[in-house]
Amino acid sequence: MTDHTAEPAPVTADASAEDAGRIVLLTASHRVAPGLLSWPAWQALRAADRVLCADPGHPQLPYLREAGVRVEHEAPDAHALVDACAGGRTIVVIPSGEGDQRLTDGLARLAGSGRVAMPDLELLPGSYDLPGARLLDLVQVMDRVRRECPWTSRQTHEGLVKYAIEEAYELVEAIEDGDRDALREELGDVLLQVVFHARIAEEGVSGEEEEDARAFSVDDVAGDLVDKLIRRHPHVFGDATAESPEDVSAHWQATKAVEKQRESVTDGIPLGQPGLALAAKLAGRARAGGIPVELPRGEGVGYELLALAARAEAAGTDPETALRAAARVYRDAIRAAEGVGE
C-alpha cells in the first residue's frame, strides 16, 4: 500500500554523506525457525544504534532478547527514520507486515527526490530458504483446505483413487508431448495427491475411539522414503560400488528382496496396471530371476499380445510406451484424414 500522506519538509542539515547513517532492512524466511539468523544479521543487530520492530509479537523477538539485543516497538515513517540516522547512526528495521511496504515506498520517494541526505540503504537477508522450503507452505495450505473446504474435508483415500490415476496419466502425456510447462503443472498435481492422502492419513481410521496407531503424516511418508533411498543406494551412502546402471539395479533388487521377504518374483506386481505393462513386468521379473518358465500358449489375441510384450521387454523396449507412441501416430493420421488441424 502506497503512503499518500503529504511530503514532510526536506532534511536541510549540513550532513555529509558519511554522516547520513545507515538503514538496514533485515529480512528472514518464515520457513526457517526463528533465531536461526546468519552471522552478518547477528553482527548488524549487535552493532546497531537502534533496532526497531513494529510488531511486539514478532517470532524473532524472544531470541533477540535472549541474545541481549534491545528492540524498540516502533513503526517510524520514512522521513522520521532517515532523520534518526543523522550523525552516522545505524538503525536496523525488522519486517513486521503490511507497514513495511509503506516504509519502503516512502524511502524510495525520499531517495528519488534529491532533496534529502539519504543514509545507506541495505536489504540484509537474515535467513534463506533451503531447497524444498515451499513444500512446507504446501503442507500448511493443505492442512487448512482439509479443515475448511466443504469438498476437501469429506474426501477419503478410496474416493481419491481415480484422481491419482488420472493425474499420473496426465503427467505421462506431458512428458511424451515434451511440454515443459505442462510437466511442471502435472508434477504439482501428482504431488498434491501425495500430500492430500498423507493429510487424510493423519486422522487415522474412521471409527477408532482411541488414537489410531496406524495414523501417519507426510513427514512419516518423507522419512520412510529417505530411509529407503539410503538403504537402496549403498554405492552412494555406503561402501558398495556400482560402475553401471545394471550394478545399481542389482543393488536395488537385492535390497528389496531382503526388505520384502517375498515368496515369488511376482509378489508386489500390481495386477491392476495396463495389460501390456503387466505382461512386460511379469516377463522381466521371470527373466531377471532366472525362472525357467515358458510363455503360456493358447488361442486368441491375448496370448499373442503376451508374447509381443515379453519379446519387447527382453529387447529393452517398454511395450506400453511403444504402443502409446504408435497410437499417437494413428490419432494424427485420423485427424489428418478428417481435415482437423492441430
Side-chain angles (χ1 to χ4, degrees):
M1 181 180 294
T2 303
D3 185 1
H4 296 290
T5 57
E7 191 71 47
V11 176
T12 57
D14 295 327
S16 65
E18 291 77 10
D19 292 331
R22 175 176 171 234
I23 297 173
V24 179
L25 302 177
L26 181 63
T27 64
S29 171
H30 67 277
R31 304 178 190 93
V32 176
L36 298 181
L37 298 175
S38 65
W39 178 240
W42 281 114
Q43 286 181 309
L45 287 164
R46 290 181 179 278
D49 293 287
R50 297 174 66 189
V51 178
L52 308 180
C53 180
D55 180 10
H58 195 287
Q60 295 286 358
L61 297 187
Y63 302 93
L64 299 184
R65 285 195 293 267
E66 186 175 348
V69 176
R70 181 175 177 271
V71 181
E72 302 174 40
H73 303 310
E74 183 178 336
D77 62 23
H79 191 277
L81 186 59
V82 169
D83 201 18
C85 288
R89 290 186 290 272
T90 295
I91 298 179
V92 175
V93 179
I94 300 174
S96 58
E98 296 180 359
D100 301 316
Q101 185 64 51
R102 292 191 293 272
L103 175 61
T104 54
D105 286 348
L107 290 172
R109 284 200 306 276
L110 287 178
S113 70
R115 297 182 294 125
V116 176
M118 288 296 294
D120 290 335
L121 299 176
E122 179 182 352
L123 181 64
L124 178 60
S127 59
Y128 300 86
D129 284 341
L130 296 174
R134 294 307 302 272
L135 293 175
L136 298 176
D137 293 343
L138 174 59
V139 172
Q140 290 179 344
V141 169
M142 184 71 249
D143 182 64
R144 181 172 178 180
V145 171
R146 175 66 174 175
R147 286 184 282 105
E148 300 181 16
C149 173
W151 183 86
T152 303
S153 62
R154 290 175 172 80
Q155 298 310 302
T156 64
H157 294 302
E158 294 77 12
L160 292 174
V161 166
K162 63 178 181 179
Y163 299 108
I165 295 173
E166 290 173 2
E167 300 299 354
Y169 277 122
E170 289 178 7
L171 173 61
V172 170
E173 184 175 359
I175 293 172
E176 292 180 344
D177 285 343
D179 188 333
R180 299 288 292 183
D181 292 334
L183 174 60
R184 176 174 175 172
E185 179 180 356
E186 298 306 335
L187 283 171
D189 290 341
V190 171
L191 178 59
L192 171 60
Q193 295 303 308
V194 175
V195 176
F196 202 161
H197 280 281
R199 178 60 183 81
I200 295 173
E202 282 191 72
E203 300 163 11
V205 178
S206 178
E208 294 284 344
E209 294 183 1
E210 299 181 357
E211 183 178 353
D212 187 359
R214 291 171 292 176
F216 59 86
S217 69
V218 69
D219 286 320
D220 296 316
V221 173
D224 290 348
L225 180 56
V226 168
D227 293 343
K228 180 186 292 186
L229 287 173
I230 293 174
R231 285 197 310 271
R232 295 188 181 179
H233 289 81
H235 54 290
V236 176
F237 301 99
D239 299 328
T241 59
E243 303 296 335
S244 67
E246 290 74 22
D247 292 340
V248 175
S249 179
H251 284 313
W252 187 275
Q253 295 301 332
T255 306
K256 283 179 65 177
V258 173
E259 291 176 2
K260 303 296 185 179
Q261 297 183 344
R262 290 169 173 164
E263 297 179 350
S264 168
V265 296
T266 66
D267 290 347
I269 297 178
L271 299 180
Q273 63 184 301
L276 283 178
L278 173 61
K281 192 70 173 180
L282 289 168
R285 286 282 186 89
R287 181 172 56 81
I291 309 300
V293 58
E294 294 185 359
L295 291 172
R297 301 180 182 276
E299 297 294 329
V301 70
Y303 290 95
E304 295 176 17
L305 290 173
L306 175 62
L308 283 173
R311 191 177 74 189
E313 190 282 329
T317 299
D318 177 12
E320 193 71 33
T321 301
L323 179 58
R324 273 201 311 273
R328 292 165 74 90
V329 173
Y330 184 35
R331 179 203 61 181
D332 293 342
I334 294 173
R335 293 174 64 85
E338 294 173 327
V340 178
E342 291 292 335

